[in-house]
Amino acid sequence: MKSLQDHLTEYIAARRALGSRLEEPAQTLRQFVKFLARKKARFITIQLALEWSQQSQGVQRATWARKLSMVRQFARWLSVIEPRHQIPPRRLLDVRHRRNKPYIYSDEEIARLMTEAAGLVSPKGMKALNLETLIGLLAATGLRPGEASALETGDVDFQAEILVIRESKFGKSRHVPIHKSTVAALKRYARQRDQMFRNPGSSFFFVSDRGTALDLGTVRRWFCKISRACGLRKRPEGHRCGRGPRLQDLRHTFATKRLVEWYRAGCNVAVQMPKLATYLGHSSVGCTYWYIEAVPELLELATEFQLTSRQGGRR
């Protein structure tokens, strides 16, 4: 009889063969299988799946629901092989999706974060190099953190000054042009990485001290640490990272700053919006318009622009 770990290996391979990267779910499900091993459980049960998904404290309920959803898909696949595996029902945690209010970093805050990241210590120095470069990359491009960590060396075209984002959210791929300063920063990273790892054991652009792919959960914990050191995040009792600005907010900052610049320059944002939506990899322009509602300054600028346009039309 195969172990749950063997079944998980087959499940991940099968999903990736169908075109899914499955980075976060693979890592999450490995933790779940270890949890079952500690419980000496041979089969997935609804009770154990629920217990495990709610172990994390200081996180939103939606995080519990996302982890439980990953288990549900794995359990559904396993139940075909062994009916004794139970499938957690949908909406067991009854969570309605609600987007967090974005935090918009100032240029000075981003600089402080990068300086703090550069001071992190690890055996080969890759922790500092990775986080400093990632923060700069996210701030300069608005990539999703998962898109940046999933980049492979062949996806970074220094000559064409383009990043290739493959099968990201909603299965969409796109080309992201990058500024010369971003190219220079990525070249510095690649040069230092290659000096450290003469024979890389991974095809990923960003690698850990062991030369393997970065774990995004670990990167987020590093970010929590430097955010606290910069005074941007406090650590309430009982919370591992505390509440405050997130790595994802660098993407929100990028989008918001572009929109603010366009409004202040008197551009017709309705015309520019599809370009930004495509650059960010949004499923629709409506997702990009969310920033106008979520950021007070943008809403004020948009209202002012509309009033000015109407007045101009009456002349």
Side-chain angles (χ1 to χ4, degrees), residues 2 24 31-32 57 136 160 163 165 168 182 184-186 221 225 257 279 286:
K2 290 184 180 178
E24 183 185 1
Q31 295 170 2
F32 176 60
Q57 298 300 309
L163 301 178
I165 308 300
S168 185
T182 305
L186 292 177
R221 287 193 289 275
K225 179 179 179 179
K257 286 183 176 179
Y279 187 89

Side-chain angles (χ1 to χ4, degrees), residues 16-73:
R16 285 177 175 167
L18 294 173
S20 173
R21 284 185 178 271
L22 214 70
E23 297 298 335
E24 183 185 1
Q27 181 68 22
T28 300
L29 289 172
R30 289 188 188 104
Q31 295 170 2
F32 176 60
V33 167
K34 290 178 181 178
F35 167 81
L36 292 178
R38 291 195 298 271
K39 292 286 185 177
K40 298 182 180 179
R42 296 171 57 197
F43 304 102
I44 296 174
T45 67
I46 294 174
Q47 181 179 348
L48 286 173
L50 197 58
E51 178 186 343
W52 173 79
S53 65
Q54 296 180 93
Q55 279 188 327
S56 300
Q57 298 300 309
V59 299
Q60 292 188 6
R61 194 176 174 84
T63 300
W64 293 349
R66 187 173 73 251
K67 293 171 69 175
L68 188 60
S69 176
M70 296 175 192
V71 172
R72 182 185 301 112
Q73 293 185 56

Side-chain angles (χ1 to χ4, degrees), residues 29-207:
L29 289 172
R30 289 188 188 104
Q31 295 170 2
F32 176 60
V33 167
K34 290 178 181 178
F35 167 81
L36 292 178
R38 291 195 298 271
K39 292 286 185 177
K40 298 182 180 179
R42 296 171 57 197
F43 304 102
I44 296 174
T45 67
I46 294 174
Q47 181 179 348
L48 286 173
L50 197 58
E51 178 186 343
W52 173 79
S53 65
Q54 296 180 93
Q55 279 188 327
S56 300
Q57 298 300 309
V59 299
Q60 292 188 6
R61 194 176 174 84
T63 300
W64 293 349
R66 187 173 73 251
K67 293 171 69 175
L68 188 60
S69 176
M70 296 175 192
V71 172
R72 182 185 301 112
Q73 293 185 56
F74 179 44
R76 184 184 294 118
W77 184 81
L78 273 177
S79 66
V80 176
I81 304 169
E82 173 50 75
R84 283 179 285 183
H85 290 288
Q86 297 177 2
I87 304 173
R90 288 182 177 276
R91 299 184 179 178
L92 185 59
L93 292 173
D94 191 25
V95 176
R96 293 183 180 181
H97 179 68
R98 182 176 62 184
R99 298 187 72 168
N100 289 325
K101 182 180 179 180
Y103 181 89
I104 308 305
Y105 293 100
S106 67
D107 291 342
E108 187 268 339
E109 287 173 336
I110 293 173
R112 278 164 50 202
L113 286 167
M114 292 180 70
T115 299
E116 197 67 38
L120 293 174
V121 177
S122 63
K124 291 191 175 181
M126 293 303 295
K127 180 189 289 188
L129 184 60
N130 277 315
L131 191 54
E132 182 186 12
T133 307
L134 277 169
I135 291 172
L137 177 62
L138 298 181
T141 62
L143 292 181
R144 298 179 179 96
E147 292 173 341
S149 64
L151 285 170
E152 298 188 8
T153 52
D155 297 333
V156 183
D157 190 331
F158 292 130
Q159 186 171 356
E161 299 180 347
I162 281 175
L163 301 178
V164 181
I165 308 300
R166 304 181 188 277
E167 296 180 7
S168 185
K169 197 172 183 180
F170 312 113
K172 297 178 69 174
S173 298
R174 68 189 191 282
H175 289 79
V176 176
I178 51 178
H179 192 269
K180 291 185 182 298
S181 60
T182 305
V183 173
L186 292 177
K187 280 184 176 179
R188 284 196 299 272
Y189 173 89
R191 186 164 55 249
Q192 291 179 259
R193 178 202 62 204
D194 294 343
Q195 288 174 352
M196 191 68 64
F197 301 101
R198 298 292 183 181
N199 298 304
S202 170
S203 62
F204 288 97
F205 184 81
F206 292 104
V207 297

